[in-house]
């Protein structure tokens, strides 16, 4: 009996030691570390709020004062109230229109056709189709479409490279080397799914002609498939905010905003002075814009000129796109930070805005903060009642920023809860892309063209969710999302049973969002014969 009692006491002694060590670890290490992380996130939250408020105020003041680009800058139509076809072609500058294409058979004919219908003297416009396609059907469709419009008098060139070096940047660079480009004053770029309205050139080019300090005119976007599914509606909300607030706030003060890579008109002289397209990152558009800005160029965004295009409707396509949009800017920041700081052509406050606001806050911090705070740190605080997170950090500031986003798309305001939850899920992928860009790991140069489905991707034909038999259940599983969803659910359950707050409501909802994405019930499924190869 004594031996048994000694054994029992020994066991209790060991358990007591383990409990004591865990308790001390909690108070000495975990709680202080978590407190510091919460405090850091509070500071970042305030910084993001100040930046969002600044942009909103700039846009609001511009609206109140009615400072439209047409009023701030000189603008005069070439048409003089007459049909453009009757106007003297000599007053129209020579314009090159580039359409980079890579295996986009579903949309290439739409974009080429829309561009060839632009109202501009035929002898003052060159359409250049840069076809890097490796798919024979895509190549055939491009050739036939170019032949069709050439027979109708359009000066259209189909340029094919032997390889795909440099991806889009490489194609655009090669396109500028042809002898017929030498007489062009401006270059317009449209991605393969963009379909400009016929008056696009008439509404954009005059800004560059009458304002020599301008290097870029960026048009807005509108989406032909925005109402296709919940995921496309949510994307529309985010992109509308990007254009209506981020782009417009920079344009309102003729400051810096990033080129979106398409639906923009560049002054070729300014493009060449900025050393043209570079292949060092997967955001060649942003790279060019930064270099042009550092040489003193100015940009303007036209909110009233919008070009129709297509949102990715499958989650895989959207994920690849978001990887490029988060990895590229982070990598560009790493490569250009010192170059920006040492630049002597722009004042220090412009350099500070570029480094701090544009890159650091909006392209790096916001992704990491959103995922780390709302999906990792905040859920962990329910297990540590010693840590209090003020409501202004968890409710007031996020709610204000969310409302600012939603205002840009009032028709989708009812989706605001879905938008919050889905954006937090996507923050995980964007954080990963951001870290890849900063650390320059193996995927830093990964470029996968966003899958386009064209006009055949209609609601009646593709109202097929991820439950479709095109994907087996194991193929749809995404273990990162499922793992984070389990973590959130456990934290939510702990708060529901032992906590004194209602944070578990958010945690349960957010865990469901991760589970939904994790098992593939998001976006539209794509029939197997239409997936990218």
């Amino acid at each position: 009996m004594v031996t048994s009692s000694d054994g029992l006491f020994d066991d209790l002694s060991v358990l007591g030691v383990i409990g004591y060590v865990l308790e001390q670890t909690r108070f000495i290490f975990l709680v202080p570390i978590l407190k510091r992380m919460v405090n850091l996130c509070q500071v970042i939250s305030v910084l993001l709020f100040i930046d969002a408020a600044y942009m909103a105020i700039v846009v609001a003041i511009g609206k109140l004062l009615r400072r439209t680009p047409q009023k701030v800058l000189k603008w005069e139509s070439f048409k003089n109230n007459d049909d453009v076809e009757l106007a003297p072609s000599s007053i129209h500058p020579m314009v090159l229109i580039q359409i980079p294409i890579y295996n986009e058979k579903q949309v290439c004919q739409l974009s080429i056709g829309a561009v060839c219908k632009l109202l501009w003297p035929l002898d003052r416009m060159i359409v250049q189709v840069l076809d890097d396609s490796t798919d024979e059907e895509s190549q055939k469709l491009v050739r036939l479409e170019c032949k069709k419009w050439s027979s109708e008098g359009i000066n259209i060139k189909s340029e094919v490279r032997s390889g795909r070096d440099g991806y889009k940047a490489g194609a655009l660079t090669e396109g500028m080397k042809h002898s017929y480009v030498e007489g062009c004053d401006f270059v317009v770029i449209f991605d393969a799914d963009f379909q400009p309205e016929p008056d696009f050139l008439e509404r954009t080019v005059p800004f560059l002609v009458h304002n020599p300090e301008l290097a870029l005119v960026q048009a807005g976007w509108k989406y032909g498939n925005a109402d296709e599914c919940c995921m496309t509606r949510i994307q529309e909300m985010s992109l509308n905010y990007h254009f209506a607030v981020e782009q417009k706030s920079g344009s309102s003060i003729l400051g810096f905003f990033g080129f979106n890579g398409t639906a923009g008109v560049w002054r070729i002289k300014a493009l060449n002075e900025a050393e043209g397209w570079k292949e060092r990152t997967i955001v060649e558009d942003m790279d060019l814009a930064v270099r042009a800005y550092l040489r003193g160029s100015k940009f303007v965004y036209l909110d009233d000129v919008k070009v129709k295009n297509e949102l990715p409707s499958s989650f895989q396509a959207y994920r690849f796109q978001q990887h490029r949009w988060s990895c590229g800017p982070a990598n560009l920041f790493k490569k250009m930070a010192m170059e920006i700081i040492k630049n002597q052509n722009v004042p220090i406050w412009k350099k500070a805005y570029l480094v701090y606001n544009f890159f650091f806050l909006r392209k790096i911090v916001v992704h990491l903060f959103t995922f780390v705070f709302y999906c990792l740190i905040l859920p962990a605080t329910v297990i540590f009642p010693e840590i209090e997170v003020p409501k202004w950090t968890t409710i007031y500031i996020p709610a204000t920023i969310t409302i600012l986003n939603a205002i840009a798309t009032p028709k989708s305001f009812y989706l605001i809860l879905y938008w919050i939850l889905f954006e937090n899920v996507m923050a995980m992928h964007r954080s990963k892309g951001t870290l890849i860009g900063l650390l320059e790991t193996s995927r830093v140069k990964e470029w996968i063209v966003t899958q386009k489905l064209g006009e055949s991707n209609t609601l009646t034909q593709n109202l097929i969710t991820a439950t479709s038999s095109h994907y087996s259940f194991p193929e749809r599983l995404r273990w990162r999302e499922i793992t984070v969803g389990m973590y959130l659910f456990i934290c939510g359950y702990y708060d529901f049973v032992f906590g004194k707050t209602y944070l578990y409501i958010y945690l349960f909802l957010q865990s469901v969002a991760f589970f939904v994405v994790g098992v593939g019930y998001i976006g539209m499924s794509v029939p197997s014969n239409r997936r990218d190869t």
Side-chain angles (χ1 to χ4, degrees):
M1 294 294 294
V2 174
T3 303
S4 176
S5 297
D6 289 344
L8 177 61
F9 286 131
D10 289 342
D11 290 342
L12 291 174
S13 176
V14 170
L15 291 174
V17 170
I18 292 174
Y20 176 78
V21 170
L22 290 176
E23 193 68 16
Q24 291 302 307
T25 302
R26 172 190 176 95
F27 283 105
I28 295 176
F29 294 104
L30 297 181
V31 171
I33 290 174
L34 195 57
K35 278 185 176 180
R36 286 183 175 86
M37 294 180 72
V38 169
N39 291 337
L40 176 61
C41 287
Q42 289 176 352
V43 173
I44 294 173
S45 182
V46 172
L47 295 178
L48 291 173
F49 172 75
I50 293 172
D51 187 54
Y54 157 75
M55 290 188 292
I57 291 171
V58 170
V59 173
I61 292 175
K63 282 185 174 294
L64 289 173
L65 299 179
R66 298 181 180 179
R67 285 175 54 86
T68 63
Q70 289 81 357
K71 290 185 176 181
V72 175
L73 300 167
K74 185 178 179 182
W75 187 91
E76 183 179 344
S77 174
F78 296 122
K79 295 167 66 174
N80 295 322
N81 298 320
D82 294 324
D83 192 334
V84 67
E85 295 182 358
L86 300 178
S89 62
S90 59
I91 68 172
H92 290 76
M94 195 71 182
V95 176
L96 173 70
I97 305 172
Q98 294 182 312
I99 309 175
I101 295 175
Y102 177 70
N103 293 345
E104 294 165 286
K105 58 187 177 184
Q106 290 85 6
V107 294
C108 61
Q109 292 173 299
L110 296 175
S111 60
I112 295 173
V115 165
C116 290
K117 294 176 184 176
L118 289 170
L119 297 176
W120 202 255
L122 298 185
D123 61 336
R124 308 301 292 170
M125 177 177 76
I126 302 174
V127 178
Q128 187 184 65
V129 181
L130 305 169
D131 188 17
D132 280 357
S133 299
T134 55
D135 175 67
E136 290 185 5
E137 186 177 353
S138 297
Q139 294 173 347
K140 181 180 178 181
L141 288 173
V142 170
R143 287 197 302 268
L144 290 174
E145 193 69 16
C146 291
K147 185 177 180 180
K148 167 190 169 182
W149 288 104
S150 179
S151 66
E152 296 188 18
I154 301 297
N155 188 359
I156 185 168
K157 312 285 185 180
S158 178
E159 306 293 352
V160 179
R161 296 192 295 165
S162 57
R164 202 188 168 210
D165 296 340
Y167 303 113
K168 182 179 175 180
L172 295 172
T173 300
E174 286 298 314
M176 297 298 293
K177 293 179 179 179
H178 295 280
S179 58
Y180 57 80
V181 176
E182 293 179 3
C184 296
D185 303 295
F186 308 108
V187 58
V188 191
I189 300 162
F190 292 112
D191 282 350
D193 60 316
F194 277 70
Q195 303 165 52
E197 296 293 333
D199 63 350
F200 178 86
L201 295 179
E202 276 290 345
R203 300 178 68 183
T204 55
V205 174
F207 282 101
L208 292 165
V209 171
H210 300 303
N211 301 276
E213 74 278 9
L214 286 182
L216 166 68
V217 175
Q218 173 70 61
W221 297 359
K222 59 182 179 180
Y223 317 99
N225 65 332
D227 296 329
E228 189 170 69
C229 62
C230 185
M231 193 182 78
T232 53
R233 291 190 183 99
I234 291 171
Q235 290 177 66
E236 182 189 30
M237 293 174 67
S238 298
L239 286 170
N240 282 350
Y241 173 80
H242 165 69
F243 282 104
V245 177
E246 293 179 352
Q247 300 293 77
K248 199 169 183 179
S249 63
S251 176
S252 296
I253 57 174
L254 289 180
F256 180 80
F257 62 87
F259 174 43
N260 294 110
T262 180
V265 188
W266 276 94
R267 187 185 303 277
I268 292 180
K269 181 181 177 182
L271 189 152
N272 291 333
E273 288 176 349
E275 301 177 14
W277 303 100
K278 290 190 176 181
E279 306 166 10
R280 55 182 174 177
T281 70
I282 54 178
V283 284
E284 73 294 322
D285 45 10
M286 187 180 295
D287 188 351
L288 173 61
V290 172
R291 284 183 280 111
Y293 183 72
L294 292 178
R295 289 179 173 271
S297 295
K298 295 181 180 180
F299 313 146
V300 65
Y301 165 67
L302 304 182
D303 190 43
D304 59 339
V305 180
K306 298 185 184 298
V307 182
K308 180 182 176 182
N309 65 97
E310 181 182 320
L311 295 166
S313 53
S314 73
F315 183 74
Q316 183 182 36
Y318 184 53
R319 185 161 53 88
F320 285 141
Q321 181 199 69
Q322 293 303 299
H323 167 80
R324 189 168 72 250
W325 288 3
S326 56
C327 174
N331 188 235
L332 181 62
F333 174 69
K334 180 179 181 179
K335 293 179 182 297
M336 290 201 71
M338 291 308 300
E339 181 181 339
I340 295 170
I341 293 172
K342 294 178 180 179
N343 184 274
Q344 301 296 320
N345 296 325
V346 295
I348 188 169
W349 68 269
K350 287 189 175 182
K351 292 190 285 186
Y353 174 83
L354 199 57
V355 171
Y356 172 73
N357 292 78
F358 181 78
F359 274 113
F360 184 67
L361 271 187
R362 300 175 197 169
K363 306 302 179 184
I364 297 175
V365 169
V366 67
H367 303 318
L368 298 173
F369 166 79
T370 301
F371 176 64
V372 171
F373 182 61
Y374 293 109
C375 299
L376 297 180
I377 294 178
L378 185 60
T381 60
V382 303
I383 305 173
F384 299 89
E386 305 92 337
I387 301 175
E388 292 186 9
V389 184
K391 288 183 178 180
W392 61 264
T393 306
T394 58
I395 299 177
Y396 303 141
I397 285 182
T400 303
I401 295 176
T402 299
I403 291 172
L404 289 176
N405 275 271
I407 288 175
T409 315
K411 70 172 185 176
S412 297
F413 193 84
Y414 70 99
L415 291 172
I416 195 69
L417 178 60
Y418 296 98
W419 181 84
I420 294 170
L421 299 176
F422 184 68
E423 283 293 294
N424 286 345
V425 175
M426 290 310 302
M428 180 180 71
H429 294 284
R430 294 172 184 141
S431 296
K432 180 183 175 185
T434 300
L435 292 176
I436 289 173
L438 290 174
L439 301 176
E440 290 193 299
T441 61
S442 59
R443 290 185 61 196
V444 71
K445 285 292 188 74
E446 181 183 78
W447 179 289
I448 298 177
V449 173
T450 305
Q451 186 183 41
K452 317 291 192 325
L453 302 181
E455 290 185 341
S456 59
N457 186 29
T458 60
L459 190 61
T460 56
Q461 290 178 304
N462 289 285
L463 193 54
I464 308 170
T465 63
T467 56
S468 166
S469 60
H470 294 300
Y471 294 96
S472 64
F473 185 73
E475 288 180 313
R476 299 201 309 264
L477 293 180
R478 302 182 180 93
W479 292 107
R480 292 190 186 91
E481 286 86 346
I482 293 174
T483 301
V484 177
M486 285 297 300
Y487 167 73
L488 290 164
F489 182 82
I490 292 170
C491 292
Y493 182 77
Y494 184 93
D495 188 52
F496 177 74
V497 175
F498 301 106
K500 297 180 181 179
T501 68
Y502 292 97
L503 189 59
Y504 64 84
I505 297 175
Y506 158 73
L507 296 176
F508 283 148
L509 289 173
Q510 190 63 72
S511 67
V512 169
F514 271 94
F515 286 138
V516 168
V517 176
V519 296
Y521 283 81
I522 188 71
M524 308 285 285
S525 71
V526 181
S528 58
N529 63 347
R530 300 186 64 189
R531 297 179 200 168
D532 284 343
T533 56

